[in-house]
Amino acid sequence: MFSKETYVNRRAELKRLVKNGMILLFGNNESPCNYPNNGYAPFRQDSSFLYYFGLNRDGLVGVIDIDKNKEYLIGDDIDIEDIVWYGSVDSVADMAASVGVANTAPMAKLKELCDKAIGKRRIHFLPPYRFDTKIQIMDLLGIHPSQQKTLASLDLINAVVAMRSVKTAEEIVEMEQAAAIGYQMHTAAMRLAKPGVTEQYVAGQIEGIARSYGSMVSFPIIFSQHGEIMHGNPSPALLEDGRLVLCDCGAETMSNYCSDNTRTFPINGKFTQRQLDIYSIVEACHDHALDISKPGVKYFDVHMSVCRLMTERLKELGLMKGDVDEAVAAGAHAMFLPHGLGHMMGMDVHDMEGLGQIYVGFDDETRPNLEQFGTNALRMGRRLQEGFVVTDEPGIYFIPALIDDWRASGHCAEFLNFDEIEKYKDFGGIRIEDDILITSDGCRFLGKDRIPYHPADVEEYIAKNR
Ligand code: GLY
Ligand code: MN
């Protein structure tokens, strides 16, 4: 949590941007796992609520009445039974004071505040993503959940996106801390992932590292020998000598700022030449994105430049053919890279994705072609600004079902050497991912220590540390 002034200033700026009406920012409620008292842990607050109100407790709603220049923290104090089981906690009034909010009210009063405004003034809310919040909005505003995404306030979405996109120095300190935990998780995975142990064992151990810092992983850990499955869950399969394993994971700090890195490494500690052939292309693409990312450049153009480089190199390897620009324009590279180069990152690992990717990652000059496979999975195309944090995560994947599908339909056949590609059906996939901060004249990595990624460094780290 930052100082009171941070939250006071953020709310003041939000009021300036949204201009009028009444803003409702819903905090999250506890999320039961299998019965009400057994919730998913740790509790995860809504990121926009955290951004403006900073309070990491369930059952709160923040109200910013712009027209009356009044702010409220709405919530109920816990009762004696809760104190018996969970210990005492700050009162709603104490919490409000800690973030500079002058007024409090119990949850039952929120309906009155809304009733007075309905039909007379604009009531702004963000698109909800939890069902209990959808029910709250239906009860308060009479809007059915099926309409809530459409009726969410675009002015509020745009204001929140504008503010949360640019990270301040104190947020970067948090993200550096998340990167440091991520470094520990990834290097532990390199030490633990030996032939004969299960994917789940390694994933569980490295999740424990994140938890030992008091918070959680920034998303469910992807740790799989089937690197070609974008979000592959760790399985009970034993790690095999000679294969690669893809590890995509990150941590959240206790203030809920994230990291997100991917490494793909040989389970026995030594890359084969065939693995290096593909790895070196992904590595070159990853480095190329760093070379050209700076303020003013569209991340869409960085993505396309990476796709061209990847296509050139896959052509040299005999997997693609034809004119590189035409191949990329046709989307042929998406056989190998069916996702975008990266996404915004902050308090959400895919930062603000719940507000609508189209508002977060794009603008009028960078609307993606939603008709084209691969391009339709882009999460970020906007012009970069100083203070943005984005991921740089190219990958090359050999997805047997996709190879069969495109071969059968002849899709992009003029650019793909299917006979050669077939030979890689047992390969898996490689992704390399780092988090970068856009600076005044370029970009830099987050994290003091770089998780080994040059093949020689990966091999050396494993040889010295297992
Ligand atoms: N690291 C997982 C993702 O970006 O989707
Ligand atoms: Mn990512």
Side-chain angles (χ1 to χ4, degrees):
M1 191 170 167
F2 302 124
S3 72
K4 181 199 295 191
E5 286 67 39
T6 291
Y7 302 104
V8 169
N9 293 339
R10 285 176 180 173
R11 292 193 301 270
E13 176 64 5
L14 186 66
K15 283 184 252 189
R16 195 185 68 76
L17 291 173
V18 178
K19 295 189 177 68
N20 55 44
M22 184 167 88
I23 297 170
L24 302 180
L25 285 170
F26 290 86
N28 280 338
N29 299 306
E30 284 285 3
S31 183
C33 173
N34 51 341
Y35 56 92
N37 275 336
N38 204 26
Y40 284 104
F43 165 71
R44 181 55 159 90
Q45 184 58 284
D46 173 75
S47 298
S48 291
F49 180 86
L50 270 178
Y51 188 83
Y52 294 103
F53 287 86
L55 299 165
N56 198 12
R57 265 264 294 283
D58 62 302
L60 300 172
V61 179
V63 177
I64 304 174
D65 190 329
I66 308 174
D67 306 325
K68 297 187 178 160
N69 198 21
K70 255 182 132 175
E71 297 173 341
Y72 301 82
L73 181 67
I74 311 286
D76 296 327
D77 285 323
I78 65 170
D79 60 21
I80 189 66
E81 291 225 13
D82 285 334
I83 292 172
V84 168
W85 286 96
Y86 305 112
S88 54
V89 294
D90 286 346
S91 66
V92 173
D94 287 341
M95 287 192 286
S98 74
V99 291
V101 173
N103 307 287
T104 62
M107 200 49 86
K109 287 275 177 202
L110 183 56
K111 179 105 182 87
E112 281 175 33
L113 280 177
C114 291
D115 283 347
K116 281 187 199 149
I118 288 171
K120 302 184 189 76
R121 302 194 288 134
R122 297 172 73 202
I123 302 181
H124 306 271
F125 61 89
L126 295 171
Y129 53 90
R130 287 199 180 187
F131 294 106
D132 46 355
T133 313
K134 293 181 186 190
I135 293 170
Q136 271 181 297
I137 294 175
M138 183 160 67
D139 287 348
L140 290 167
L141 306 179
I143 302 171
H144 190 268
S146 62
Q147 298 299 306
Q148 290 173 7
K149 198 168 162 198
T150 323
L151 294 178
S153 164
L154 199 50
D155 286 341
L156 180 59
I157 291 171
N158 285 332
V160 172
V161 168
M163 291 181 68
R164 283 181 54 189
S165 293
V166 180
K167 273 64 184 181
T168 58
E170 61 188 352
E171 292 182 286
I172 295 303
V173 170
E174 284 291 327
M175 296 182 84
E176 296 277 12
Q177 170 63 13
I181 305 171
Y183 175 88
Q184 290 198 35
M185 293 166 74
H186 276 275
T187 48
M190 288 180 183
R191 293 193 301 273
L192 291 167
K194 298 174 194 152
V197 303
T198 67
E199 294 175 359
Q200 286 171 341
Y201 174 78
V202 178
Q205 294 290 315
I206 63 177
E207 177 149 357
I209 294 173
R211 297 299 291 267
S212 70
Y213 284 89
S215 192
M216 56 196 274
V217 288
S218 49
F219 57 96
I221 290 176
I222 299 163
F223 187 82
S224 175
Q225 295 168 105
H226 282 284
E228 78 279 11
I229 302 173
M230 297 307 114
H231 286 175
N233 286 325
S235 80
L238 296 178
L239 296 177
E240 291 173 27
D241 196 350
R243 290 183 73 174
L244 295 170
V245 65
L246 185 149
C247 179
D248 183 349
C249 68
E252 283 192 16
T253 62
M254 284 183 70
S255 303
N256 300 102
Y257 284 86
C258 298
S259 66
D260 180 10
N261 298 88
T262 307
R263 291 293 183 268
T264 311
F265 57 91
I267 291 161
N268 65 12
K270 204 96 189 102
F271 287 97
T272 65
Q273 187 54 49
R274 184 173 180 248
Q275 289 166 348
L276 280 177
D277 288 345
I278 303 298
Y279 192 98
S280 62
I281 302 177
V282 181
E283 189 186 10
C285 290
H286 181 269
D287 292 348
H288 177 61
L290 298 172
D291 287 343
I292 60 175
S293 293
K294 60 179 182 187
V297 170
K298 288 185 229 162
Y299 214 49
F300 179 78
D301 292 342
V302 179
H303 169 84
M304 294 311 278
S305 188
V306 161
C307 294
R308 278 192 293 276
L309 175 61
M310 186 177 285
T311 302
E312 270 165 29
R313 296 281 301 263
L314 287 169
K315 212 177 134 180
E316 283 164 23
L317 207 58
L319 297 180
M320 295 188 76
K321 58 187 179 182
D323 181 81
V324 168
D325 288 334
E326 285 176 21
V328 171
H333 61 281
M335 160 67 84
F336 309 98
L337 175 63
H339 61 73
L341 181 63
H343 49 86
M344 294 278 231
M345 201 183 65
M347 278 193 283
D348 304 311
V349 66
H350 291 178
D351 209 20
M352 302 171 277
E353 193 163 287
L355 302 184
Q357 199 61 63
I358 204 76
Y359 309 119
V360 177
F362 302 95
D363 53 22
D364 287 342
E365 58 172 358
T366 52
R367 294 271 173 248
N369 177 359
L370 295 177
E371 303 301 313
Q372 189 180 69
F373 177 79
T375 313
N376 60 2
L378 253 65
R379 292 199 160 98
M380 173 67 189
R382 275 164 74 189
R383 280 185 199 279
L384 298 168
Q385 292 175 34
E386 186 177 354
F388 279 13
V389 174
V390 292
T391 64
D392 167 16
E393 52 177 310
I396 293 182
Y397 313 92
F398 295 92
I399 305 165
L402 191 64
I403 297 169
D404 289 346
D405 188 68
W406 284 27
R407 180 160 214 167
S409 66
H411 183 61
C412 289
E414 63 271 47
F415 304 113
L416 297 166
N417 278 327
F418 283 111
D419 287 344
E420 287 305 307
I421 296 169
E422 287 278 345
K423 296 178 189 163
Y424 285 79
K425 269 184 166 173
D426 64 348
F427 187 92
I430 292 176
R431 175 161 68 249
I432 304 174
E433 175 177 23
D434 282 309
D435 308 326
I436 58 175
L437 169 68
I438 305 302
T439 58
S440 60
D441 58 355
C443 64
R444 72 164 177 86
F445 293 114
L446 289 179
K448 183 167 68 64
D449 297 310
R450 192 85 197 278
I451 304 161
Y453 90 107
H454 291 304
D457 295 342
V458 173
E459 291 181 351
E460 187 187 340
Y461 182 85
I462 293 174
K464 284 194 177 150
N465 292 284
R466 267 198 195 152

